[in-house]
C-alpha cells in the first residue's frame, strides 16, 4: 500500500485516496473552438510511461482535494506531491 | 504414561503442567511449552504423514517454519484446521491432531503404491499424462488428481472466531529476536526511537536459546531474557512474540501475523484468535536469521532424519531426544554442537564429516570428549521404511564421486547439516535483488530499494560477535537519524566457538546399480532424477525448471530445497549458481489463515449499512429491503401472503389511482453555493441554466467528456447563489468527485463551493392524482394550487412546525411532490404523512413499484444510462443545448454517435400480452437462427404495466425508432425463454406528460 503525502493533510495511506489519471492532460478551454484531433487527444490518448509519471489523486476520505503525485510507475517510488495549482518539475 | 524420549531436566518447557492431546485417536500427553512435534517425538512417534505424490512415510525434519513434512489436520478450541505445521503449533489441552494425505491410515496407505509405480510420476507428469484426450479432463483426470493429491480438509463450518486488523507506525521494526535483532532493537530503543520487535516463535532469543555461547558472562538465554525484560519496560518499545512479519510491501509497509490466542485453553469471548498488523516503519531491521541446508542422499525422507540444528533445538528447548543412536552427517562445524549436546545427555553419536581430516575448535572438543568422528564420510542411503533403522555409509575418494569403502551402521536417527542459508525472503520482497555470496554459498541482500537493513545471519554473518556488533551499530545509526539522539552503548564481551570452513558438498553420489530416491524438495516430492529429467528435456531457466518439477512450489516455499536445487542445476549445466539465478520470493512467508486476512470485515461488518431516518418505520410495517449500494431501501411493503409481484402491483396501482409516499432519502444531494454557481451548472449540464429563476427546479443531464450520459437529476435554485442538486443514489459519490475535479483543476477561477448534503435531509415523495389534496392537508396555511406551486416549482414552508422544502418534481409521471426535512425530523414527517394521507387512500410504495411507474412512463434510469448511451439514444436530445458549450459536448459530434442505425430507446410489449420479458434478453429477428444470432438490441427494464394490465419493457435497439410496429423475439438463454414482442414507443403511459402538470 502506497504512502502518499497529501499537501494539505500530510502522509496518509493509499486507502484514503482515489486515482485520477494523467495530471498533465489539459482540457481544451470551454467556449472555444477545438479541432477534432485535439479533442480526441484530450479525451482518449494517454501515454503509459514506465518510470516517472505525474498523476492526479483525490484525497477522497480526507480533505477531498485533488492533488498531483509524481510516481514511478514501475517501482511505485513517489518523488513529489503538490497541490494542483502548483507545478511539478 | 512415560515419555521414552524425554530428557529428565533439559529444556524450557513447564514440567509442572501436563497437557493431554490425541494423535490419530491415540491419547498422549506433553507439557506446556511443547509443540505438537516435540510432544510426539517425546512419545517416540515419528511417522506423522504421507508424502504428496508417492505417499511415502514422512516424519519431522525441522523444528520450526522450515518443516516440509509434518503438516497435520488439527482440531482445537472448537475448530478444525488443515496443513498445520506440527513444529510450530503449540500444544493446547484437548487438541486433536490427525495425519493428512493418507487412506485408510498413516500406517497403511493405499496411495503408497504410487511409490512403486513411480515411472508414472516423473517430473512434469501432470503436464504429460493428463493432457490428452482433452475431453477426459473433467470426468476422469481432474477427480482422480483431486482424490489422489491434496493435503488437509478445509472446514465447511462458519468460522466463529474473531480476527482483528491493526494499523501501526514506528521508527524501527525489527523482524526476529535473535542476537542481531535484540541488539538492534536495544540500541534503537536507547536512542528513544519507537521500536517494534517481532518474534515468530513463542520464546525470544532465536539461536541464543540453543547455542553454547556466553555474553558478558551470561548464557545466551539469560542475556536474551535480560534484554527482553528491559525492552518490555520501555514505553517506546512494543515487543511481540508469536508474531511473524510475512510480507514486505511498497513504501516500507510490512504485514505481521500475530497468533494471539491459539495457544490458550480458555479465553474471553472478545479475545481475537489472530491479528494482522499493518506496520508502516520508517526503517526496518531484517534479523530473520538463517535456515540449515540439508545434504541430499538416498531415502533422505525416511522418518527419523532431521536437520542437525533441529535435533539440538529439540534437546535444548523441549528436553526431547530425536533418537538414542544418532548419526550426524555434516559438511561443516555447526553439527558438532549437536553431537556435543547428545554427548552431554549421555547419548553416543557418530559424526560423518564429508571434509578430509582436519582440526578446529569444535572438532578438537568433540575428539577430546571421545566422539567417533569419521572424516571423508557420508550417508549413501538410509534403511528402514517407516523409521530409520540403519544407514549405508561410505568413505569418499578424493574425487568425492566414488567410494573407497562402504559399510552399514545401525542408527535410529540421522542429523544432517549442509551449512546455512540466510532467510532473505523479506529483503527480496522489498525489491532487493540479492547477490550470491561465495563464502557461504548462498544469496544475501544486495543494494536496498526500500528502508531495510539485514543484519546477522540473515545477512550472512554466522558469528555471534559479528551479529551483535552489526545489530548494535545498525540499530543505533538508523534510529539516531530519526530521533537525532545517540546513546553510547558498549558492545558486550562474547565467548563463542569458532567454526572452520564448510565443504562445498551437498549431494551424495550413488554406488553403481543403486537407485534409491534422493529428495531435494520433500513437500512436493521432487527428487534429483526429476531435476535431471527436466534439464534433459530442455528446460534451462530456473523459473521453468521450478514450474516443471514443482521444486520449491509447496507451502514451505522451498526453504530447505531451493539452494540444493540450484546447486544441482548448476552442477549438471556446468554453470556457477549465480548464473542459474534464484526464483522469486513472494508473501506470505508461511501460510496464514483466510480469517486473518479478512479480519472483522465479514457479515454485517463487511461494509457500513446506511439506513434512512424512516428505516424503523419501514421495518415495523413489513418492508422487504433491497440493497442500493450501502443503503437499505424498502422494495415493497408486504401485506399478508403477498408476493413481490402482487405487492408492487398494488402499490403502483394505488399511486396511479390515489396517492402513495416513497422514501427518497437515498438520492444524492449536493449543495452548490457561490456567485458563479449558475455558470458552473451551465457547464456541467447539457441544458441551459443561466436563466433558471429562484424558486424553480430543472431537470438536468450531465455527460462525461466522451459524450456518454453520466447522471441525471433535478437541481433547484434555492436563492440567488445557492442551488440544491440531486443525483441518482448510485452515482452520488462519483458526481461529487466529478464536480470537485472541474472546480479544483479545470475551472479554478469559478467561485463555487460544493458539499454533499445527502445525509442532512430526509426525503419523501408524494405521488398520485390525490397528492395535491393530501399536500394541502399537510400545509393548511400554504397555497398549493397549480398556479402557486406549478410543475417544477419550489417552496419553503413549515411542516407541522418544522422547516421543510417542497419540490414539485415527479419520477412516477404522476402529479407529485417531494418533501425534504432535516434528517432528525424524517420519522416525524413520515408518520404525519401516513396519518394525514389515510383519507386519500395513501399507501407507502417501495422501489419495485417506483420502477414500474417510471418504466411505463418511459423515464430512463440506471439500466438505460449504463455507460454506453448518449442523450439521443435515450430520447433526451431535447435537453442538449445547441447554443452553449458543456462537458462532453465536443464528443457528441462523433460519426458513430450520429449514424442512422444508432441504438435508440423503444418500448416492447409481448404479442400474447401475458409473458413477462426477462431483463437482459437479446432482441433478435429469428429465434431459430444459427448461432451467433445477430443481436439487434437488449431489454433494459421490465415491468407489469398497471395502467394497461400487461407486461411492458424498455429496450435499447438498433435503429429503434424505425422499428416501431415491427415484431421480433426477445430471447433469454439464461431464463430459457423466447418471447415474441412488438416494438412500440417508450412512452407507454401519458406520452404528452399531462399528469405531472395537472
Ligand atoms: Zn488531504
Amino acid at each position: 500500500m502506497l504512502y502518499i503525502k497529501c499537501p494539505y493533510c500530510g502522509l496518509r495511506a493509499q486507502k484514503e485516496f482515489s486515482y485520477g489519471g494523467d495530471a498533465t492532460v489539459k482540457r481544451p478551454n470551454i467556449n472555444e473552438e477545438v479541432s477534432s484531433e485535439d479533442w480526441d487527444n484530450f479525451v482518449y490518448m494517454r501515454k503509459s510511461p514506465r518510470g516517472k509519471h505525474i498523476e492526479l489523486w483525490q484525497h477522497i476520505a480526507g480533505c477531498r482535494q485533488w492533488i498531483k503525485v509524481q510516481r514511478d510507475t514501475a517501482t511505485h517510488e513517489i518523488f513529489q506531491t503538490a497541490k494542483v495549482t502548483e507545478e511539478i518539475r | 504414561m512415560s515419555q521414552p524420549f524425554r530428557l529428565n531436566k533439559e529444556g524450557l518447557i513447564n514440567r509442572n503442567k501436563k497437557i493431554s492431546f490425541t494423535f490419530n485417536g491415540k491419547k498422549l500427553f506433553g507439557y506446556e511449552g511443547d509443540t505438537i512435534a516435540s510432544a510426539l517425538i517425546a512419545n517416540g512417534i515419528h511417522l506423522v504423514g504421507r508424502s504428496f505424490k508417492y505417499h511415502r512415510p514422512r516424519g519431522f525434519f525441522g523444528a520450526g517454519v522450515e518443516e516440509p513434512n509434518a503438516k497435520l489436520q488439527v482440531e482445537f478450541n472448537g475448530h478444525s484446521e488443515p496443513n498445520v505445521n506440527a513444529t510450530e503449533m503449540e500444544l493446547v489441552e484437548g487438541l486433536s491432531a490427525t495425519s493428512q494425505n493418507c487412506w485408510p491410515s498413516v500406517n497403511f496407505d493405499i496411495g503408497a503404491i504410487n511409490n512403486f509405480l513411480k515411472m508414472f510420476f516423473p517430473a512434469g507428469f501432470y503436464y504429460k499424462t493428463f493432457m490428452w484426450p482433452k475431453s477426459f479432463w473433467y470426468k476422469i483426470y481432474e477427480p482422480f488428481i483431486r482424490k489422489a493429491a491434496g493435503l488437509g480438509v478445509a472446514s465447511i463450518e462458519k468460522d466463529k472466531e474473531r480476527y482483528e486488523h491493526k494499523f501501526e507506525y514506528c521508527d524501527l521494526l525489527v523482524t526476529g529476536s535473535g542476537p542481531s535483532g535484540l541488539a538492534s532493537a536495544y540500541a534503537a530503543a536507547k536512542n528513544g526511537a519507537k521500536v517494534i520487535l517481532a518474534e515468530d516463535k513463542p520464546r525470544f532469543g532465536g539461536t541464543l536459546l540453543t547455542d553454547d555461547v556466553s555474553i558478558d558472562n551470561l548464557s545466551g538465554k539469560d542475556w536474551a531474557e535480560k534484554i527482553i525484560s528491559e525492552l518490555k519496560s520501555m514505553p517506546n518499545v512494543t515487543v511481540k512474540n508469536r508474531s511473524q512479519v510475512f510480507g514486505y510491501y511498497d513504501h516500507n509497509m510490512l504485514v505481521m501475523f500475530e497468533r494471539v490466542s491459539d495457544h490458550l485453553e480458555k479465553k474471553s469471548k472478545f479475545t481475537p484468535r489472530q491479528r494482522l498488523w499493518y506496520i508502516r516503519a520508517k526503517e526496518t531491521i531484517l534479523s530473520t536469521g538463517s535456515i540449515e541446508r540439508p545434504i541430499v542422499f538416498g531415502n533422505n525422507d525416511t522418518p527419523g532424519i532431521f536437520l542437525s540444528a533441529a535435533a539440538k533445538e529439540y534437546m535444548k528447548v523441549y528436553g526431547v531426544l530425536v533418537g538414542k543412536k544418532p548419526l550426524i552427517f555434516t559438511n561443516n562445524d555447526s553439527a558438532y554442537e549437536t553431537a556435543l549436546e547428545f554427548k552431554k545427555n549421555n547419548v553416543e553419536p557418530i559424526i560423518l564429516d564429508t571434509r578430509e581430516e582436519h582440526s578446529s575448535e569444535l572438532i578438537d572438543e568433540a575428539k577430546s570428549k571421545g566422539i567417533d568422528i569419521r572424516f571423508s564420510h557420508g550417508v549413501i542411503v538410509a534403511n528402514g521404511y517407516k523409521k530409520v533403522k540403519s544407514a549405508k555409509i561410505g568413505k569418499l575418494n578424493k574425487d568425492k564421486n566414488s567410494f573407497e569403502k562402504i559399510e552399514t551402521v545401525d542408527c535410529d536417527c540421522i542429523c544432517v547439516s549442509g551449512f546455512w542459508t540466510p532467510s532473505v525472503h523479506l529483503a527480496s520482497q522489498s525489491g532487493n535483488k540479492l547477490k550470491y555470496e561465495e563464502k557461504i554459498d548462498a544469496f544475501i541482500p544486495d543494494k536496498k530499494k526500500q528502508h531495510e537493513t539485514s543484519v546477522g545471519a540473515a545477512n550472512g554473518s554466522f558469528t555471534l560477535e559479528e551479529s551483535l556488533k552489526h545489530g548494535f551499530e545498525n540499530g543505533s545509526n538508523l534510529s539516531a537519524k530519526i530521533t537525532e539522539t545517540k546513546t553510547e552503548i558498549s558492545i558486550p564481551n562474547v565467548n563463542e566457538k569458532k567454526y572452520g570452513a564448510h565443504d562445498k558438498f551437498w549431494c551424495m553420489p550413488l554406488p553403481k546399480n543403486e537407485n534409491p530416491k534422493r529428495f531435494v524438495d520433500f513437500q512436493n516430492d521432487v527428487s534429483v532424477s526429476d531435476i535431471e529429467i527436466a534439464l534433459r528435456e530442455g528446460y534451462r531457466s530456473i523459473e521453468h525448471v521450478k514450474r516443471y518439477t514443482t521444486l520449491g512450489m509447496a507451502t514451505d516455499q522451498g526453504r530447505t530445497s531451493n539452494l540444493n536445487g540450484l546447486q544441482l542445476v548448476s552442477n549438471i549445466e556446468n554453470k556457477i549458481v549465480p548464473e542459474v539465478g534464484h526464483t522469486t520470493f513472494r508473501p506470505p512467508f508461511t501460510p496464514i489463515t483466510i480469517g486473518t486476512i479478512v479480519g472483522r470485515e465479514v457479515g454485517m461488518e463487511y461494509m457500513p449499512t446506511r439506513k434512512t431516518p424512516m428505516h424503523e418505520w419501514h421495518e415495523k410495517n413489513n418492508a422487504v429491503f433491497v440493497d442500493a449500494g450501502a443503503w437499505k431501501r424498502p422494495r415493497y411493503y408486504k401485506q399478508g401472503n403477498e408476493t413481490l409481484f402482487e405487492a408492487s402491483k398494488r402499490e403502483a396501482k394505488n399511486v396511479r389511482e390515489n396517492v402513495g409516499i416513497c422514501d427518497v432519502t437515498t438520492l444524492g444531494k449536493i449543495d452548490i453555493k457561490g456567485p458563479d454557481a449558475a455558470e458552473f451548472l451551465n457547464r456541467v449540464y447539457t441544458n441551459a441554466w443561466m436563466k433558471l429563476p429562484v424558486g424553480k427546479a430543472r431537470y438536468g443531464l450531465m455527460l462525461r467528456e466522451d459524450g456518454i450520459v453520466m447522471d441525471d437529476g433535478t437541481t433547484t435554485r434555492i436563492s440567488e447563489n445557492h442551488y440544491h442538486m440531486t443525483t441518482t443514489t448510485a452515482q452520488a459519490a462519483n458526481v461529487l468527485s466529478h464536480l470537485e475535479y472541474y472546480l479544483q483543476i479545470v475551472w479554478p477561477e469559478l467561485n463555487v463551493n460544493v458539499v454533499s448534503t445527502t445525509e442532512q435531509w430526509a426525503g419523501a415523495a408524494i405521488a398520485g392524482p390525490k397528492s395535491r389534496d393530501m399536500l394541502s392537508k399537510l400545509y393548511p396555511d400554504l397555497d398549493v394550487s397549480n398556479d402557486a406551486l406549478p410543475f417544477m416549482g419550489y417552496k419553503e414552508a413549515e411542516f407541522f412546525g418544522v422547516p421543510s422544502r417542497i419540490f414539485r418534481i415527479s419520477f412516477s409521471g404522476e402529479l407529485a411532490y417531494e418533501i425534504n426535512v432535516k434528517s432528525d425530523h424524517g420519522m416525524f414527517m413520515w408518520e404525519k404523512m401516513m396519518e394525514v394521507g389515510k383519507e386519500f387512500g395513501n399507501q407507502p410504495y417501495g422501489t419495485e413499484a417506483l420502477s414500474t411507474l417510471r418504466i411505463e412512463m418511459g423515464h430512463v434510469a440506471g439500466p438505460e444510462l449504463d455507460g454506453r448511451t448518449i442523450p439521443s439514444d435515450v430520447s433526451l436530445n431535447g435537453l442538449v443545448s445547441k447554443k452553449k458549450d458543456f462537458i462532453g459536448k465536443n464528443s457528441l459530434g462523433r460519426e458513430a454517435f450520429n449514424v442512422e442505425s444508432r441504438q435508440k430507446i423503444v418500448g416492447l410489449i409481448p404479442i400474447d400480452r401475458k409473458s413477462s420479458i426477462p431483463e437482459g434478453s437479446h432482441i433478435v429477428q429469428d429465434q431459430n437462427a444459427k448461432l451467433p444470432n445477430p443481436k439487434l438490441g437488449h431489454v433494459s427494464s421490465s415491468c407489469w404495466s398497471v395502467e394497461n394490465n400487461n407486461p411492458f419493457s424498455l429496450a435499447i435497439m438498433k435503429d429503434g425508432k424505425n422499428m416501431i410496429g415491427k415484431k421480433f423475439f426477445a430471447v433469454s438463454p439464461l431464463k430459457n425463454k423466447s418471447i415474441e414482442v412488438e416494438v412500440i414507443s417508450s412512452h407507454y403511459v401519458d406520452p404528452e406528460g399531462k399528469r405531472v402538470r395537472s
Side-chain angles (χ1 to χ4, degrees):
Chain A
M1 193 168 25
L2 307 187
Y3 207 24
I4 301 170
K5 187 174 178 183
C6 170
Y8 302 92
C9 311
L11 276 165
R12 298 299 179 97
Q14 184 186 344
K15 269 192 163 184
E16 297 184 12
F17 295 84
S18 135
Y19 183 69
D22 191 340
T24 61
V25 176
K26 199 184 168 302
R27 190 191 191 279
N29 288 338
I30 192 123
N31 297 320
E32 276 177 27
E33 277 291 310
V34 55
S35 71
S36 297
E37 200 188 337
D38 287 350
W39 182 256
D40 288 348
N41 279 339
F42 157 65
V43 177
Y44 297 106
M45 304 308 275
R46 295 290 182 275
K47 289 202 177 90
S48 179
R50 186 184 196 279
K52 280 190 179 179
H53 188 228
I54 301 174
E55 52 203 23
L56 290 169
W57 290 74
Q58 189 183 13
H59 195 187
I60 205 135
C63 62
R64 294 204 64 88
Q65 293 299 306
W66 286 87
I67 61 167
K68 284 181 185 169
V69 176
Q70 188 186 37
R71 182 180 66 106
D72 188 308
T73 57
T75 64
H76 295 317
E77 184 177 350
I78 291 176
F79 306 100
Q80 208 182 327
T81 60
K83 299 176 179 175
V84 285
T85 50
E86 295 168 347
E87 285 302 313
I88 283 186
R89 278 169 308 277
Chain B
M1 287 210 297
S2 68
Q3 295 192 316
F5 288 86
R6 184 79 73 176
L7 294 166
N8 288 331
K9 287 214 304 270
E10 282 279 338
L12 308 175
I13 48 166
N14 177 10
R15 288 174 195 261
N16 296 320
K17 194 173 172 204
K18 275 191 185 180
I19 296 180
S20 43
F21 71 107
T22 67
F23 175 65
N24 287 335
K26 192 172 172 190
K27 279 196 89 163
L28 297 163
F29 79 92
Y31 294 104
E32 187 179 67
D34 261 329
T35 59
I36 301 176
S38 66
L40 287 174
I41 297 168
N43 283 288
I45 295 171
H46 287 262
L47 173 60
V48 286
R50 292 277 173 164
S51 74
F52 188 63
K53 211 156 81 179
Y54 303 119
H55 291 245
R56 285 166 71 104
R58 289 284 165 84
F60 308 98
F61 188 63
V65 290
E66 72 280 10
E67 177 59 45
N69 293 330
K71 318 276 173 188
L72 301 174
Q73 183 88 29
V74 178
E75 281 173 43
F76 64 107
N77 293 342
H79 45 92
S80 182
E81 196 156 294
N83 312 334
V84 171
N85 227 351
T87 55
E88 290 180 87
M89 173 89 203
E90 292 170 74
L91 218 51
V92 277
E93 184 64 36
L95 173 149
S96 129
T98 43
S99 297
Q100 306 181 151
N101 199 31
C102 55
W103 185 84
S105 81
V106 70
N107 261 308
F108 177 73
D109 177 16
I110 285 178
I113 199 162
N114 290 353
N115 193 21
F116 303 103
L117 300 174
K118 55 192 165 206
M119 60 279 208
F120 291 143
F121 294 87
F125 106 106
Y126 289 103
Y127 301 111
K128 288 170 187 162
T129 316
F130 297 124
M131 287 302 280
W132 297 279
K134 216 176 161 187
S135 59
F136 272 34
W137 178 254
Y138 285 109
K139 282 195 171 141
I140 297 168
Y141 295 148
E142 211 243 350
F144 169 76
I145 294 173
R146 285 214 178 279
K147 219 157 124 188
L151 299 166
V153 182
S155 171
I156 54 165
E157 309 258 309
K158 192 182 164 191
D159 192 339
K160 294 184 203 82
E161 295 279 352
R162 190 181 171 105
Y163 301 86
E164 282 183 353
H165 285 183
K166 187 175 164 77
F167 295 81
E168 196 50 274
Y169 297 81
C170 66
D171 295 327
L172 185 72
L173 170 65
V174 181
T175 64
S177 72
S180 60
L182 284 178
S184 311
Y186 188 78
K190 285 283 178 195
N191 282 345
K194 189 176 174 196
V195 176
I196 298 176
L197 172 63
E199 169 57 48
D200 180 32
K201 294 200 166 187
R203 297 169 188 85
F204 294 100
T207 51
L208 291 173
L209 300 179
T210 52
D211 284 359
D212 190 11
V213 294
S214 73
I215 306 171
D216 279 349
N217 296 322
L218 292 173
S219 73
K221 178 180 143 287
D222 291 346
W223 186 80
E225 250 164 45
K226 186 185 135 218
I227 297 289
I228 284 290
S229 66
E230 192 170 340
L231 286 174
K232 278 182 174 166
S233 72
M234 296 169 85
N236 52 328
V237 183
T238 305
V239 172
K240 280 278 160 194
N241 56 341
R242 300 185 178 92
S243 296
Q244 184 192 78
V245 178
F246 68 78
Y248 202 134
Y249 298 88
D250 291 312
H251 296 184
N252 247 50
M253 196 186 73
L254 292 99
V255 183
M256 178 167 93
F257 172 57
E258 182 189 1
R259 305 183 302 277
V260 184
S261 64
D262 278 349
H263 63 293
L264 299 177
E265 192 187 330
K266 284 203 184 77
K267 51 187 179 178
S268 102
K269 192 178 150 197
F270 300 108
T271 309
R273 180 185 170 208
Q274 292 160 348
R275 187 180 284 134
L276 199 67
W277 294 56
Y278 294 92
I279 303 171
R280 191 76 72 169
K282 287 191 182 131
E283 291 286 346
T284 310
I285 287 278
L286 303 177
S287 46
T288 42
S290 58
I291 286 173
E292 200 167 20
R293 182 174 171 179
I295 304 174
V296 176
F297 56 92
N299 293 340
N300 54 338
D301 64 329
T302 312
I305 297 173
F306 285 83
L307 287 168
S308 101
K312 188 172 68 173
E313 189 170 336
Y314 283 116
M315 287 186 272
K316 301 248 327 182
V317 175
Y318 304 102
V320 165
L321 287 172
V322 300
K324 291 177 181 172
K325 235 192 228 175
L327 214 52
I328 314 276
F329 178 21
T330 184
N331 71 359
N332 69 91
D333 276 7
S334 66
Y336 282 74
E337 292 195 23
T338 306
L340 287 166
E341 192 62 29
F342 272 119
K343 180 82 185 174
K344 207 174 89 190
N345 288 300
N346 302 317
V347 172
E348 297 295 332
I350 301 172
I351 297 176
L352 307 178
D353 193 328
T354 62
R355 299 171 294 184
E356 285 172 31
E357 170 131 28
H358 66 293
S359 134
S360 77
E361 207 178 333
L362 271 159
I363 293 173
D364 295 347
E365 189 180 340
K367 270 186 186 161
S368 74
K369 296 254 160 81
I371 294 176
D372 180 356
I373 306 171
R374 305 185 191 180
F375 291 100
S376 298
H377 267 74
V379 176
I380 298 168
V381 59
N383 299 323
Y385 183 53
K386 290 176 192 167
K387 179 76 199 294
V388 178
K389 288 193 184 107
S390 65
K392 190 183 277 183
I393 64 170
K395 182 164 190 199
L396 289 153
N397 282 322
K398 263 210 151 44
D399 64 1
K400 295 243 164 126
N401 209 16
S402 58
F403 301 101
E404 194 185 306
K405 196 176 91 190
I406 291 175
E407 63 181 311
T408 298
V409 293
D410 283 350
C411 61
D412 65 354
C413 69
I414 300 173
C415 305
V416 60
S417 176
F419 208 52
W420 295 87
T421 308
S423 290
V424 290
H425 52 283
L426 287 177
S428 173
Q429 285 177 25
S430 78
N432 193 313
K433 288 288 174 231
L434 308 182
K435 62 181 177 206
Y436 191 74
E437 181 71 273
E438 215 155 325
K439 213 171 81 194
I440 59 165
D441 289 294
F443 289 93
I444 61 169
D446 197 2
K447 282 194 201 75
K448 55 184 85 173
K449 290 273 159 58
Q450 297 203 40
H451 294 274
E452 45 92 15
T453 307
S454 291
V455 295
N459 197 36
S461 351
F462 296 136
T463 70
L464 178 61
E465 191 178 5
E466 211 182 340
S467 290
L468 284 176
K469 190 166 164 277
H470 284 173
F472 280 119
E473 279 172 4
N474 281 298
S476 177
N477 294 340
L478 290 169
S479 58
K481 268 191 276 170
I482 299 165
T483 63
E484 292 170 355
T485 313
K486 194 150 187 174
T487 310
E488 281 309 316
I489 296 170
S490 57
I491 294 170
N493 288 318
V494 169
N495 197 341
E496 65 179 321
K497 280 159 194 149
K498 298 275 177 301
Y499 287 5
H502 71 281
D503 191 8
K504 293 174 186 292
F505 182 91
W506 291 280
C507 185
M508 200 63 180
L510 291 173
K512 284 208 171 63
N513 305 325
E514 282 202 42
N515 202 16
K517 277 220 169 286
R518 290 176 294 170
F519 285 96
V520 180
D521 180 331
F522 298 103
Q523 205 183 348
N524 265 352
D525 268 356
V526 180
S527 67
V528 172
S529 58
D530 290 324
I531 293 168
E532 287 168 349
I533 289 171
L535 292 166
R536 228 169 29 237
E537 291 184 1
Y539 291 90
R540 287 296 174 272
S541 152
I542 189 64
E543 293 284 358
H544 291 163
V545 172
K546 163 181 160 178
R547 278 158 186 79
Y548 195 58
T549 61
T550 70
L551 171 75
M553 286 174 71
T555 59
D556 72 343
Q557 294 198 353
R559 283 190 261 286
T560 52
S561 64
N562 281 339
L563 269 179
N564 280 343
L566 285 177
Q567 188 68 50
L568 266 165
V569 172
S570 79
N571 287 354
I572 298 166
E573 290 283 286
N574 232 337
K575 278 183 187 168
I576 50 170
V577 171
E579 281 176 2
V580 178
H582 62 88
T583 52
T584 317
F585 293 86
R586 291 193 179 86
F589 179 57
T590 57
I592 61 170
T593 57
I594 299 282
T596 313
I597 299 171
V598 175
R600 298 285 301 280
E601 291 165 23
V602 288
M604 281 291 289
E605 278 80 40
Y606 179 66
M607 63 192 287
T609 306
R610 296 176 88 179
K611 294 175 181 172
T612 76
M614 292 83 101
H615 187 85
E616 251 177 73
W617 189 95
H618 304 321
E619 262 180 343
K620 272 187 213 146
N621 288 274
N622 298 325
V624 176
F625 291 94
V626 62
D627 291 337
W631 288 105
K632 296 277 174 205
R633 296 194 72 180
R635 194 173 182 194
Y636 62 100
Y637 299 83
K638 193 180 172 109
Q639 292 186 359
N641 291 326
E642 269 180 337
T643 62
L644 161 70
F645 180 65
E646 290 160 355
S648 61
K649 233 162 79 171
R650 167 182 54 74
E651 291 170 6
K653 214 160 175 277
N654 192 58
V655 171
R656 292 272 183 250
E657 287 168 3
N658 299 307
V659 59
I661 62 172
C662 181
D663 186 348
V664 293
T665 304
T666 63
L667 283 185
K669 305 174 200 77
I670 298 168
D671 230 34
I672 302 173
K673 280 186 178 170
D676 296 321
E679 172 63 25
F680 181 55
L681 289 171
N682 209 42
R683 296 178 184 188
V684 166
Y685 281 129
T686 59
N687 43 340
W689 284 81
M690 297 307 283
K691 287 176 187 156
L692 180 73
V694 172
K696 284 280 183 189
R698 185 165 284 176
Y699 178 70
L701 190 66
M702 56 176 87
L703 307 185
R704 312 190 308 213
E705 292 286 18
D706 63 0
I708 300 289
V709 179
M710 180 178 180
D711 198 43
D712 66 342
T714 57
T715 292
T716 306
R717 192 166 194 173
I718 305 286
S719 66
E720 181 64 24
N721 294 327
H722 181 193
Y723 291 79
H724 172 81
M725 175 186 273
T726 65
T727 73
T728 58
T729 302
Q731 291 292 329
N734 290 344
V735 170
L736 184 64
S737 272
H738 179 77
L739 300 181
E740 286 164 339
Y741 174 89
Y742 284 94
L743 286 173
Q744 292 174 26
I745 297 171
V746 185
W747 304 311
E749 68 279 9
L750 293 184
N751 188 353
V752 179
N753 275 300
V754 294
V755 68
S756 166
T757 55
T758 303
E759 249 115 43
Q760 275 62 46
W761 298 100
I766 309 174
K770 294 182 186 166
S771 57
R772 184 181 290 124
D773 299 342
M774 182 169 151
L775 193 73
S776 67
K777 280 271 172 115
L778 291 170
Y779 294 92
D781 303 331
L782 191 70
D783 182 0
V784 295
S785 67
N786 203 24
D787 291 337
L789 183 54
F791 181 52
M792 289 294 176
Y794 168 75
K795 274 192 188 304
E796 290 169 14
E798 288 221 331
F799 180 95
F800 299 102
V802 305
S804 74
R805 291 172 167 183
I806 312 165
F807 307 83
R808 186 170 164 193
I809 52 179
S810 175
F811 190 52
S812 57
E814 292 297 327
L815 169 64
Y817 304 86
E818 210 178 289
I819 317 284
N820 281 6
V821 295
K822 296 204 168 117
S823 291
D824 288 350
H825 300 141
M827 186 64 109
F828 169 75
M829 167 182 72
W830 188 264
E831 286 179 333
K832 266 283 180 244
M833 285 178 172
M834 287 307 297
E835 184 189 314
V836 171
K838 255 181 217 156
E839 61 175 290
F840 307 103
N842 170 51
Q843 286 182 19
Y845 63 100
T847 55
E848 201 68 20
L850 186 69
S851 292
T852 296
L853 295 165
R854 71 98 187 160
I855 292 167
E856 61 177 4
M857 282 286 169
H859 290 174
V860 294
E864 288 75 36
L865 309 179
D866 64 354
R868 294 180 290 184
T869 44
I870 57 168
S872 58
D873 294 349
V874 285
S875 292
L876 291 174
N877 30 332
L879 287 170
V880 179
S881 168
K882 297 222 161 48
K883 293 186 197 132
K884 56 136 196 174
D885 199 359
F886 53 84
I887 292 169
K889 181 173 192 181
N890 283 307
S891 292
L892 293 177
R894 291 176 62 208
E895 206 179 316
F897 286 171
N898 294 289
V899 292
E900 188 65 20
S901 62
R902 174 83 194 170
Q903 58 176 6
K904 293 277 166 0
I905 188 168
V906 292
L908 298 178
I909 45 169
I911 300 294
D912 67 2
R913 299 291 192 274
K914 281 201 296 262
S915 308
S916 290
I917 308 160
E919 288 171 352
S921 295
H922 283 199
I923 301 162
V924 298
Q925 185 76 59
D926 174 5
Q927 61 170 337
N928 298 316
K930 239 178 81 181
L931 295 175
N933 195 346
K935 177 191 161 190
L936 306 173
H938 72 276
V939 176
S940 53
S941 302
S942 287
C943 72
W944 185 277
S945 167
V946 288
E947 185 92 3
N948 297 306
N949 203 26
N950 57 256
F952 173 73
S953 293
L954 294 175
I956 310 280
M957 196 179 172
K958 242 183 217 170
D959 198 16
K961 297 292 177 234
N962 291 323
M963 297 296 140
I964 288 175
K966 294 185 180 160
K967 287 175 185 170
F968 296 93
F969 289 92
V971 296
S972 169
L974 199 66
K975 297 259 164 87
N976 201 18
K977 271 190 182 169
S978 176
I979 294 157
E980 195 175 12
V981 294
E982 186 186 335
V983 179
I984 61 169
S985 158
S986 57
H987 299 289
Y988 196 35
V989 173
D990 189 24
E992 289 89 35
K994 281 183 191 155
R995 294 180 191 180
V996 291
R997 293 180 174 80
S998 65

